[in-house]
């Protein structure tokens, strides 16, 4: 297996899968098994998984981005099936294909893909002017522009603080609401400029709109709620002995993944103190598979967006 992550392209935008070798190595423990890629993206992980599977192996994939579904059309492999949808509903996908409770592995690569960031028309980036959208599935739900047009100042500040960990959330929210009174926001560059001027303390090497844009994206897509639901769904969809592998890209995500795995590794710890109980009665459902992995310096050099990635893996016990 090459240590260089394969790249895929859609409409000219490149994507290099992060922690590809480590993730696939942790995931595929039986080449004849059935696996699920909960975030197809541009297919780097799925293609690497298929390369490791035996002829009788099977791979299901899901993604809510229609561009990802279009990319998957290039995969001509009878072992591969993809459907459009939220990864929180991966259990339903497994159920439809008769694999619920029988999957040998589930991979979740959380966050936004490079093509989504690089395509100005998706509205994810403050570095490229485009429509202020940010929806993973642009055919569903409310765009950031629509939300900012109606949200109260306290709600905007809450999103900036909670999902962006922005110290100056109230100040930035006030700037957004003040400018909105003159004309609504519709473009990414316009919003980025307002946030840039309003931010009193720029972090070295980081655009002052970074945290606010992250917060808006997470909020508009319900990303943390989606992650919580996907982790629970994955645990139920796995067979005993199946592997759960999760790649996250910022602390809000990683803390949730770490807590989820830790709670199921510990088992039932709510029993009264002093109650005699055997270890096998703690209802532990997961066992950790090694320590958290991070990208190598070489991978970060070739793909700077990988620098914050963390991969955690666990094996289902029961």
């Amino acid at each position: 297996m090459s240590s260089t992550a394969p790249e895929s392209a859609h409409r000219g935008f490149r994507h290099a899968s992060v922690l590809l070798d480590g993730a696939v190595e942790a995931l595929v423990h039986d080449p004849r098994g059935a696996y699920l890629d909960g975030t197809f993206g541009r297919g780097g992980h799925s293609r690497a998984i298929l390369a490791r599977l035996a002829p009788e192996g099977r791979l299901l994939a899901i993604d809510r981005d229609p561009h990802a579904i279009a990319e998957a059309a290039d995969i001509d492999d009878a072992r591969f099936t993809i459907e459009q949808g939220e990864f929180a509903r991966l259990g339903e996908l497994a159920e439809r294909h008769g694999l619920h409770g029988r999957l040998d592995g589930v991979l979740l690569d959380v966050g936004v893909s490079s093509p989504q960031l690089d395509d100005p028309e998706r509205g994810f980036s403050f570095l490229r002017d485009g429509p202020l959208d940010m929806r993973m599935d642009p055919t569903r739900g409310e765009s950031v522009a629509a939300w900012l047009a109606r949200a109260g100042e306290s709600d905007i500040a809450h999103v900036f603080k909670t999902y962006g960990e922005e110290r100056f959330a109230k100040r930035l929210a006030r700037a957004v609401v003040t400018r909105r009174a003159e004309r609504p926001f519709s473009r990414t560059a316009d919003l980025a400029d307002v946030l840039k001027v309003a931010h009193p303390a720029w972090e070295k090497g980081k655009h002052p709109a970074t945290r606010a844009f992250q917060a808006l994206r997470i909020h508009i897509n319900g990303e943390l709620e989606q992650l919580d639901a996907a982790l629970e769904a994955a645990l139920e969809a796995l067979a005993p002995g199946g592997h759960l592998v999760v790649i996250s890209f910022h602390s809000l995500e990683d803390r949730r993944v770490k807590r989820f795995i830790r709670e199921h590794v510990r088992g039932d710890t709510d029993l009264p103190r002093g109650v005699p109980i055997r270890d096998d009665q703690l209802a532990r459902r997961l066992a950790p598979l090694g320590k958290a992995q991070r990208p190598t310096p070489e991978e970060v050099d070739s793909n700077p967006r990988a620098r914050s990635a963390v991969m955690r893996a666990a094996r289902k016990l029961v």
Side-chain angles (χ1 to χ4, degrees), residues 61-145:
I62 190 169
D63 203 296
R64 58 174 159 173
D65 187 338
H67 294 169
I69 302 303
E71 182 78 27
D74 293 338
I75 299 180
D76 182 15
D77 193 318
R79 301 171 298 171
F80 177 74
T81 302
I82 188 168
E83 292 186 14
Q84 185 175 358
E86 301 168 340
F87 70 175
R89 306 181 73 173
L90 64 86
E92 297 174 24
L93 173 61
E95 187 77 51
R96 282 194 294 275
H97 291 272
L99 292 171
H100 194 267
R102 299 172 55 197
L103 289 172
D104 294 284
V106 173
L107 170 65
L108 302 175
D109 183 1
V110 187
V112 64
S113 70
S114 292
Q116 288 170 330
L117 287 171
D118 293 338
D119 184 352
E121 294 303 308
R122 301 302 301 274
F124 285 99
S125 177
F126 46 79
L127 298 176
R128 299 170 177 84
D129 186 38
L132 189 57
D133 195 317
M134 297 197 205
R135 288 172 293 173
M136 299 289 189
D137 180 353
T139 68
R140 294 177 178 270
E142 186 176 37
S143 69
V144 167

Coordinates of all heavy atoms in Angstrom, one line a residue, residues 61-145:
A61 N -21.2 3.1 1.2 CA -20.7 4.5 1.4 C -21.9 5.4 1.4 O -23.0 5.1 0.8 CB -19.7 5.0 0.4
I62 N -21.8 6.5 2.1 CA -22.8 7.5 2.2 C -22.2 8.9 2.3 O -21.1 9.1 2.8 CB -23.7 7.2 3.5 CG1 -25.0 8.1 3.5 CG2 -22.9 7.4 4.8 CD1 -26.0 7.7 4.5
D63 N -22.9 9.9 1.7 CA -22.5 11.3 1.8 C -23.6 12.1 1.4 O -24.4 11.8 0.6 CB -21.3 11.5 0.8 CG -20.5 12.8 1.2 OD1 -21.0 13.9 1.3 OD2 -19.3 12.6 1.6
R64 N -23.8 13.3 2.1 CA -24.9 14.1 1.8 C -24.6 15.2 0.7 O -25.5 15.8 0.2 CB -25.4 14.8 3.0 CG -24.5 15.7 3.8 CD -25.2 16.4 4.9 NE -24.4 16.8 6.0 CZ -24.8 17.5 7.1 NH1 -26.1 17.9 7.1 NH2 -24.0 17.9 8.0
D65 N -23.4 15.3 0.3 CA -23.0 16.2 -0.8 C -23.3 15.6 -2.1 O -22.7 14.6 -2.5 CB -21.5 16.6 -0.6 CG -21.1 17.7 -1.5 OD1 -21.7 17.9 -2.5 OD2 -20.0 18.3 -1.2
P66 N -24.1 16.2 -3.0 CA -24.4 15.7 -4.3 C -23.1 15.6 -5.2 O -23.1 14.8 -6.1 CB -25.5 16.6 -4.9 CG -25.4 17.8 -4.1 CD -24.9 17.4 -2.7
H67 N -22.2 16.5 -4.9 CA -20.9 16.4 -5.7 C -20.1 15.2 -5.4 O -19.5 14.6 -6.2 CB -20.1 17.7 -5.5 CG -20.7 18.9 -6.0 ND1 -20.2 20.2 -5.6 CD2 -21.8 19.1 -6.8 CE1 -20.9 21.1 -6.2 NE2 -21.9 20.5 -6.9
A68 N -20.2 14.7 -4.1 CA -19.5 13.5 -3.7 C -20.2 12.3 -4.4 O -19.5 11.4 -4.9 CB -19.6 13.3 -2.2
I69 N -21.5 12.3 -4.5 CA -22.2 11.2 -5.1 C -21.9 11.2 -6.6 O -21.7 10.1 -7.2 CB -23.8 11.4 -5.0 CG1 -24.1 11.5 -3.5 CG2 -24.5 10.3 -5.7 CD1 -23.7 10.3 -2.7
A70 N -21.7 12.3 -7.3 CA -21.3 12.4 -8.7 C -19.9 11.8 -8.8 O -19.6 11.1 -9.8 CB -21.4 13.8 -9.2
E71 N -19.0 12.1 -7.9 CA -17.7 11.6 -8.0 C -17.7 10.1 -7.9 O -16.9 9.4 -8.5 CB -16.8 12.2 -6.8 CG -15.4 11.7 -6.8 CD -14.5 12.5 -7.8 OE1 -14.8 13.6 -8.1 OE2 -13.5 11.9 -8.2
A72 N -18.6 9.5 -7.1 CA -18.6 8.1 -6.9 C -19.0 7.3 -8.1 O -18.8 6.1 -8.2 CB -19.6 7.7 -5.7
A73 N -19.6 8.0 -9.1 CA -20.0 7.4 -10.3 C -18.8 6.8 -11.1 O -19.0 5.9 -12.0 CB -20.8 8.3 -11.2
D74 N -17.6 7.3 -10.8 CA -16.4 6.8 -11.4 C -15.9 5.5 -10.9 O -15.0 4.8 -11.5 CB -15.3 7.8 -11.3 CG -15.5 9.2 -12.0 OD1 -16.3 9.1 -12.9 OD2 -14.9 10.2 -11.6
I75 N -16.5 5.0 -9.8 CA -16.1 3.7 -9.2 C -16.9 2.6 -9.8 O -18.1 2.5 -9.5 CB -16.2 3.7 -7.7 CG1 -15.3 4.8 -7.1 CG2 -15.9 2.4 -7.1 CD1 -15.3 4.9 -5.6
D76 N -16.3 1.8 -10.7 CA -17.0 0.7 -11.3 C -16.6 -0.6 -10.6 O -15.6 -1.2 -11.0 CB -16.7 0.7 -12.8 CG -17.4 -0.4 -13.6 OD1 -18.4 -1.0 -13.0 OD2 -17.0 -0.7 -14.7
D77 N -17.3 -0.9 -9.6 CA -16.9 -2.1 -8.8 C -18.2 -2.7 -8.2 O -18.9 -2.0 -7.4 CB -15.9 -1.6 -7.6 CG -15.3 -2.8 -7.0 OD1 -15.9 -3.8 -6.7 OD2 -14.0 -2.7 -6.7
A78 N -18.4 -3.9 -8.4 CA -19.7 -4.6 -8.0 C -19.7 -4.7 -6.5 O -20.8 -4.9 -5.9 CB -19.8 -6.0 -8.6
R79 N -18.6 -4.5 -5.8 CA -18.5 -4.6 -4.3 C -18.9 -3.3 -3.7 O -19.1 -3.3 -2.4 CB -17.1 -5.0 -3.9 CG -16.6 -6.3 -4.4 CD -15.1 -6.5 -4.1 NE -14.3 -5.4 -4.7 CZ -13.0 -5.2 -4.5 NH1 -12.4 -6.0 -3.6 NH2 -12.4 -4.2 -5.1
F80 N -19.1 -2.3 -4.4 CA -19.3 -0.9 -3.9 C -20.7 -0.4 -4.1 O -21.3 -0.5 -5.2 CB -18.3 0.0 -4.6 CG -18.5 1.5 -4.2 CD1 -18.1 1.9 -3.0 CD2 -19.0 2.4 -5.1 CE1 -18.2 3.3 -2.6 CE2 -19.2 3.7 -4.7 CZ -18.7 4.2 -3.5
T81 N -21.3 0.2 -3.1 CA -22.6 0.8 -3.2 C -22.6 2.1 -2.4 O -22.0 2.2 -1.3 CB -23.7 -0.1 -2.5 OG1 -23.7 -1.3 -3.2 CG2 -25.1 0.6 -2.7
I82 N -23.2 3.2 -3.0 CA -23.2 4.5 -2.3 C -24.6 5.0 -2.4 O -25.4 4.8 -3.4 CB -22.2 5.5 -2.9 CG1 -22.2 6.8 -2.1 CG2 -22.6 5.8 -4.4 CD1 -21.0 7.7 -2.4
E83 N -25.0 5.8 -1.3 CA -26.3 6.5 -1.3 C -26.1 7.9 -0.8 O -25.2 8.1 0.1 CB -27.3 5.7 -0.4 CG -27.8 4.4 -1.0 CD -28.9 3.7 -0.2 OE1 -29.5 4.4 0.7 OE2 -29.1 2.5 -0.4
Q84 N -26.9 8.8 -1.2 CA -26.9 10.1 -0.7 C -27.7 10.2 0.6 O -28.8 9.7 0.7 CB -27.4 11.2 -1.7 CG -27.2 12.6 -1.2 CD -27.6 13.6 -2.3 OE1 -28.0 13.3 -3.4 NE2 -27.6 14.9 -1.9
G85 N -27.1 10.8 1.6 CA -27.7 11.0 2.9 C -26.8 11.5 4.0 O -25.6 11.5 3.8
E86 N -27.3 11.8 5.1 CA -26.5 12.2 6.3 C -25.9 11.0 6.9 O -26.5 9.9 7.0 CB -27.4 12.9 7.3 CG -28.1 14.1 6.7 CD -29.1 14.7 7.6 OE1 -29.6 13.9 8.5 OE2 -29.5 15.9 7.5
F87 N -24.6 11.1 7.4 CA -24.0 9.9 8.0 C -24.6 9.5 9.3 O -24.4 8.4 9.8 CB -22.5 10.0 8.0 CG -21.9 11.0 9.0 CD1 -20.5 11.1 9.2 CD2 -22.7 11.9 9.8 CE1 -19.9 12.0 10.1 CE2 -22.1 12.8 10.7 CZ -20.7 12.8 10.8
A88 N -25.4 10.4 9.9 CA -26.1 10.0 11.1 C -27.1 8.9 10.8 O -27.6 8.2 11.7 CB -26.9 11.3 11.7
R89 N -27.5 8.7 9.6 CA -28.5 7.7 9.2 C -27.8 6.5 8.5 O -28.4 5.8 7.8 CB -29.5 8.3 8.2 CG -30.1 9.6 8.8 CD -31.1 10.2 7.8 NE -32.3 9.4 7.8 CZ -33.5 9.8 7.2 NH1 -33.5 10.9 6.6 NH2 -34.5 9.0 7.2
L90 N -26.5 6.3 8.9 CA -25.8 5.2 8.3 C -26.4 3.8 8.7 O -26.3 2.8 8.0 CB -24.3 5.3 8.6 CG -23.9 5.1 10.1 CD1 -23.7 3.7 10.5 CD2 -22.5 5.9 10.3
G91 N -27.0 3.8 9.8 CA -27.6 2.6 10.3 C -28.8 2.1 9.4 O -29.0 1.0 9.1
E92 N -29.5 3.1 8.8 CA -30.6 2.8 7.9 C -30.0 2.3 6.6 O -30.6 1.4 6.0 CB -31.4 4.1 7.6 CG -32.1 4.7 8.9 CD -32.8 6.0 8.6 OE1 -33.1 6.2 7.4 OE2 -33.0 6.8 9.6
L93 N -28.9 2.8 6.2 CA -28.2 2.3 5.0 C -27.8 0.8 5.2 O -28.1 0.0 4.3 CB -27.0 3.2 4.6 CG -26.1 2.7 3.5 CD1 -26.9 2.6 2.2 CD2 -24.9 3.6 3.3
A94 N -27.2 0.6 6.3 CA -26.8 -0.8 6.6 C -28.0 -1.7 6.7 O -28.0 -2.9 6.2 CB -26.0 -0.8 7.9
E95 N -29.1 -1.2 7.3 CA -30.3 -2.0 7.4 C -30.9 -2.4 6.0 O -31.3 -3.5 5.8 CB -31.4 -1.2 8.2 CG -32.6 -2.0 8.5 CD -32.4 -3.0 9.7 OE1 -31.9 -2.6 10.7 OE2 -32.8 -4.2 9.5
R96 N -30.9 -1.4 5.1 CA -31.4 -1.6 3.8 C -30.7 -2.7 3.0 O -31.2 -3.4 2.1 CB -31.5 -0.3 3.0 CG -32.6 0.6 3.3 CD -32.8 1.7 2.3 NE -31.7 2.6 2.2 CZ -31.5 3.6 3.0 NH1 -32.4 3.9 3.9 NH2 -30.4 4.4 2.8
H97 N -29.4 -2.8 3.3 CA -28.5 -3.8 2.6 C -28.3 -5.0 3.4 O -27.4 -5.8 3.1 CB -27.2 -3.1 2.2 CG -27.4 -2.1 1.1 ND1 -27.4 -2.4 -0.2 CD2 -27.7 -0.7 1.2 CE1 -27.6 -1.3 -0.9 NE2 -27.8 -0.3 -0.1
G98 N -29.1 -5.2 4.5 CA -29.0 -6.5 5.2 C -27.7 -6.6 6.0 O -27.3 -7.7 6.4
L99 N -27.1 -5.5 6.4 CA -25.8 -5.5 7.1 C -25.8 -4.9 8.5 O -24.8 -4.7 9.1 CB -24.7 -4.8 6.2 CG -24.4 -5.6 4.9 CD1 -23.5 -4.7 4.1 CD2 -23.7 -6.9 5.3
H100 N -27.0 -4.5 9.0 CA -27.1 -3.9 10.3 C -26.7 -4.9 11.3 O -27.2 -6.0 11.4 CB -28.4 -3.3 10.6 CG -28.5 -2.4 11.7 ND1 -28.7 -2.8 13.0 CD2 -28.2 -1.0 11.8 CE1 -28.7 -1.7 13.8 NE2 -28.3 -0.7 13.1
G101 N -25.7 -4.5 12.2 CA -25.2 -5.4 13.2 C -24.2 -6.5 12.7 O -23.8 -7.3 13.4
R102 N -23.9 -6.3 11.4 CA -23.0 -7.3 10.7 C -21.8 -6.6 10.1 O -21.0 -7.3 9.4 CB -23.8 -8.0 9.6 CG -24.9 -8.9 10.2 CD -25.8 -9.4 9.1 NE -25.0 -10.2 8.2 CZ -25.4 -10.6 6.9 NH1 -26.6 -10.2 6.5 NH2 -24.6 -11.3 6.2
L103 N -21.6 -5.3 10.2 CA -20.5 -4.6 9.6 C -19.2 -4.9 10.3 O -19.2 -4.9 11.5 CB -20.7 -3.1 9.6 CG -21.8 -2.6 8.6 CD1 -22.1 -1.1 8.9 CD2 -21.4 -2.8 7.2
D104 N -18.2 -5.1 9.5 CA -16.8 -5.4 10.1 C -16.1 -4.1 10.4 O -15.1 -4.1 11.1 CB -16.0 -6.2 9.1 CG -16.6 -7.6 9.0 OD1 -16.4 -8.4 9.9 OD2 -17.3 -7.9 8.0
G105 N -16.5 -3.0 9.8 CA -15.9 -1.7 10.1 C -16.7 -0.5 9.6 O -17.4 -0.6 8.6
V106 N -16.6 0.6 10.4 CA -17.2 1.8 10.0 C -16.1 2.9 10.1 O -15.5 3.1 11.1 CB -18.4 2.2 10.9 CG1 -18.9 3.6 10.5 CG2 -19.5 1.2 10.7
L107 N -16.0 3.7 9.0 CA -15.1 4.8 9.0 C -15.8 6.1 8.9 O -16.7 6.3 8.0 CB -14.1 4.7 7.7 CG -13.2 5.9 7.4 CD1 -12.2 6.1 8.6 CD2 -12.5 5.7 6.1
L108 N -15.5 7.1 9.7 CA -16.1 8.4 9.7 C -14.9 9.4 9.6 O -14.0 9.5 10.4 CB -16.9 8.7 11.0 CG -18.0 7.8 11.3 CD1 -18.6 8.2 12.7 CD2 -19.1 7.8 10.2
D109 N -14.9 10.2 8.5 CA -13.9 11.2 8.2 C -14.7 12.6 8.4 O -15.3 13.0 7.4 CB -13.3 11.1 6.8 CG -12.2 12.0 6.6 OD1 -11.9 12.9 7.4 OD2 -11.7 12.0 5.4
V110 N -14.6 13.2 9.5 CA -15.5 14.3 9.9 C -15.0 15.6 9.3 O -13.8 15.8 9.3 CB -15.7 14.3 11.4 CG1 -16.8 15.3 11.8 CG2 -16.1 13.0 12.0
G111 N -16.0 16.5 9.0 CA -15.6 17.8 8.6 C -15.8 18.1 7.1 O -16.6 17.4 6.5
V112 N -15.2 19.1 6.7 CA -15.4 19.6 5.3 C -14.2 19.1 4.4 O -13.1 19.0 4.9 CB -15.4 21.2 5.3 CG1 -14.1 21.8 5.8 CG2 -15.9 21.7 4.0
S113 N -14.5 18.9 3.1 CA -13.5 18.4 2.2 C -12.8 19.5 1.5 O -13.4 20.6 1.4 CB -14.1 17.4 1.2 OG -14.9 18.1 0.3
S114 N -11.6 19.3 1.0 CA -10.9 20.3 0.3 C -11.7 20.9 -0.9 O -11.7 22.1 -1.1 CB -9.5 19.8 -0.2 OG -8.7 19.5 0.9
P115 N -12.3 20.0 -1.8 CA -13.1 20.6 -2.9 C -14.2 21.5 -2.4 O -14.5 22.5 -3.1 CB -13.7 19.4 -3.6 CG -12.7 18.3 -3.3 CD -12.3 18.6 -1.8
Q116 N -14.8 21.2 -1.2 CA -15.8 22.1 -0.7 C -15.2 23.5 -0.4 O -15.8 24.5 -0.6 CB -16.5 21.5 0.5 CG -17.4 20.3 0.1 CD -17.9 19.5 1.3 OE1 -17.2 19.4 2.4 NE2 -19.1 18.9 1.2
L117 N -14.1 23.4 0.2 CA -13.4 24.7 0.6 C -12.9 25.5 -0.6 O -13.0 26.7 -0.7 CB -12.2 24.4 1.5 CG -12.5 24.0 3.0 CD1 -11.2 23.5 3.7 CD2 -13.1 25.1 3.7
D118 N -12.4 24.7 -1.6 CA -11.8 25.4 -2.8 C -12.8 25.9 -3.8 O -12.4 26.8 -4.6 CB -10.8 24.4 -3.4 CG -9.6 24.0 -2.5 OD1 -9.3 24.8 -1.6 OD2 -9.0 23.0 -2.8
D119 N -14.0 25.4 -3.8 CA -15.0 25.8 -4.8 C -15.7 27.0 -4.2 O -16.5 26.9 -3.3 CB -16.0 24.7 -5.0 CG -17.0 25.0 -6.1 OD1 -17.0 26.2 -6.5 OD2 -17.8 24.1 -6.5
P120 N -15.5 28.2 -4.8 CA -16.1 29.5 -4.3 C -17.6 29.4 -4.3 O -18.3 30.0 -3.4 CB -15.6 30.6 -5.2 CG -14.4 30.0 -5.8 CD -14.6 28.5 -5.9
E121 N -18.2 28.6 -5.2 CA -19.7 28.5 -5.3 C -20.3 27.8 -4.1 O -21.5 27.9 -3.9 CB -20.1 27.8 -6.6 CG -19.7 28.6 -7.8 CD -20.3 30.0 -7.8 OE1 -21.5 30.2 -7.6 OE2 -19.5 31.0 -8.0
R122 N -19.5 27.1 -3.3 CA -20.1 26.4 -2.1 C -20.1 27.3 -0.9 O -20.9 27.1 0.0 CB -19.2 25.2 -1.8 CG -19.1 24.1 -2.9 CD -20.5 23.6 -3.4 NE -21.3 23.0 -2.3 CZ -21.1 21.7 -1.9 NH1 -20.3 20.9 -2.5 NH2 -21.9 21.2 -0.9
G123 N -19.4 28.4 -0.9 CA -19.5 29.4 0.1 C -18.9 29.0 1.4 O -19.2 29.6 2.5
F124 N -17.9 28.1 1.5 CA -17.3 27.7 2.7 C -16.1 28.5 3.1 O -15.8 28.6 4.3 CB -16.8 26.2 2.6 CG -17.9 25.2 2.7 CD1 -18.4 24.6 1.5 CD2 -18.4 24.8 3.9 CE1 -19.4 23.7 1.5 CE2 -19.4 23.8 3.9 CZ -19.9 23.3 2.8
S125 N -15.4 29.2 2.2 CA -14.2 29.8 2.5 C -14.2 31.3 2.5 O -14.9 31.9 1.7 CB -13.1 29.4 1.4 OG -11.9 30.0 1.6
F126 N -13.5 31.9 3.5 CA -13.4 33.4 3.5 C -12.3 33.9 2.6 O -12.2 35.1 2.4 CB -13.2 33.8 5.0 CG -12.1 33.0 5.7 CD1 -10.7 33.2 5.4 CD2 -12.4 32.0 6.5 CE1 -9.8 32.5 6.0 CE2 -11.4 31.3 7.2 CZ -10.1 31.5 6.9
L127 N -11.6 33.0 2.0 CA -10.5 33.4 1.2 C -10.9 33.5 -0.3 O -10.2 34.1 -1.1 CB -9.3 32.3 1.2 CG -8.7 32.2 2.6 CD1 -7.6 31.1 2.6 CD2 -8.0 33.5 3.1
R128 N -12.1 33.0 -0.6 CA -12.5 33.0 -2.0 C -14.0 33.5 -2.0 O -14.8 32.9 -1.4 CB -12.5 31.6 -2.7 CG -11.1 31.0 -2.7 CD -11.1 29.6 -3.1 NE -9.7 29.1 -3.3 CZ -9.0 28.6 -2.3 NH1 -9.5 28.6 -1.0 NH2 -7.8 28.2 -2.5
D129 N -14.2 34.6 -2.7 CA -15.6 35.2 -2.7 C -16.6 34.3 -3.4 O -16.3 33.8 -4.5 CB -15.5 36.5 -3.4 CG -16.9 37.2 -3.2 OD1 -17.5 37.1 -2.2 OD2 -17.3 37.9 -4.2
G130 N -17.7 34.1 -2.8 CA -18.8 33.3 -3.4 C -20.0 33.5 -2.6 O -20.1 34.2 -1.6
P131 N -21.1 32.8 -3.0 CA -22.4 32.9 -2.3 C -22.2 32.4 -0.9 O -21.5 31.4 -0.6 CB -23.3 32.0 -3.1 CG -22.7 31.8 -4.5 CD -21.2 31.9 -4.2
L132 N -22.8 33.1 0.1 CA -22.7 32.7 1.5 C -23.6 31.6 1.8 O -24.8 31.8 2.3 CB -23.0 33.9 2.3 CG -22.7 33.8 3.8 CD1 -21.3 33.5 4.1 CD2 -23.1 35.1 4.5
D133 N -23.2 30.3 1.5 CA -24.1 29.2 1.6 C -23.6 28.2 2.7 O -24.2 28.2 3.8 CB -24.1 28.4 0.2 CG -25.3 27.4 0.2 OD1 -25.5 26.7 1.1 OD2 -25.9 27.4 -0.9
M134 N -22.6 27.5 2.5 CA -21.9 26.5 3.4 C -22.7 25.3 3.7 O -22.3 24.5 4.6 CB -21.6 27.2 4.8 CG -20.6 28.3 4.7 SD -20.0 28.7 6.3 CE -19.5 30.4 6.1
R135 N -23.8 25.0 3.0 CA -24.5 23.7 3.2 C -23.8 22.6 2.6 O -23.3 22.6 1.4 CB -25.9 23.8 2.6 CG -26.9 24.7 3.4 CD -28.2 24.9 2.7 NE -28.0 25.6 1.5 CZ -29.0 25.8 0.6 NH1 -30.2 25.3 0.8 NH2 -28.7 26.6 -0.5
M136 N -23.6 21.5 3.3 CA -23.1 20.2 2.7 C -23.9 19.7 1.6 O -23.4 19.3 0.6 CB -22.9 19.2 3.8 CG -22.0 19.5 5.0 SD -20.3 19.6 4.5 CE -19.5 19.7 6.1
D137 N -25.2 19.8 1.8 CA -26.2 19.5 0.7 C -26.9 20.8 0.3 O -27.8 21.2 1.0 CB -27.2 18.4 1.2 CG -28.2 18.1 0.1 OD1 -28.2 18.7 -1.0 OD2 -29.0 17.1 0.3
P138 N -26.5 21.4 -0.7 CA -27.1 22.7 -1.1 C -28.5 22.7 -1.5 O -29.1 23.7 -1.8 CB -26.2 23.2 -2.2 CG -25.5 22.0 -2.8 CD -25.4 21.0 -1.7
T139 N -29.1 21.5 -1.6 CA -30.5 21.4 -2.0 C -31.4 21.3 -0.8 O -32.6 21.3 -1.0 CB -30.7 20.1 -2.9 OG1 -30.5 18.9 -2.1 CG2 -29.8 20.1 -4.1
R140 N -30.8 21.3 0.4 CA -31.7 21.1 1.6 C -31.3 22.1 2.7 O -30.1 22.5 2.8 CB -31.5 19.7 2.2 CG -32.0 18.6 1.3 CD -31.7 17.2 2.0 NE -32.3 16.1 1.2 CZ -33.5 15.6 1.3 NH1 -34.3 16.1 2.3 NH2 -33.9 14.6 0.6
G141 N -32.3 22.5 3.5 CA -32.0 23.4 4.6 C -31.8 24.8 4.3 O -32.1 25.3 3.2
E142 N -31.2 25.5 5.2 CA -31.1 27.0 5.2 C -29.6 27.4 5.0 O -28.8 26.8 5.6 CB -31.6 27.6 6.5 CG -31.7 29.1 6.6 CD -32.3 29.5 7.9 OE1 -32.0 28.9 8.9 OE2 -33.1 30.5 7.8
S143 N -29.4 28.3 4.1 CA -28.0 28.7 3.9 C -27.6 29.7 5.0 O -28.4 30.2 5.8 CB -27.9 29.5 2.6 OG -28.6 30.8 2.7
V144 N -26.3 29.9 5.1 CA -25.8 30.8 6.1 C -26.3 32.2 5.9 O -26.7 32.9 6.8 CB -24.2 30.8 6.1 CG1 -23.7 32.0 7.0 CG2 -23.7 29.5 6.7
A145 N -26.4 32.6 4.6 CA -27.0 34.0 4.3 C -28.4 34.1 4.9 O -28.7 35.1 5.5 CB -26.9 34.2 2.8

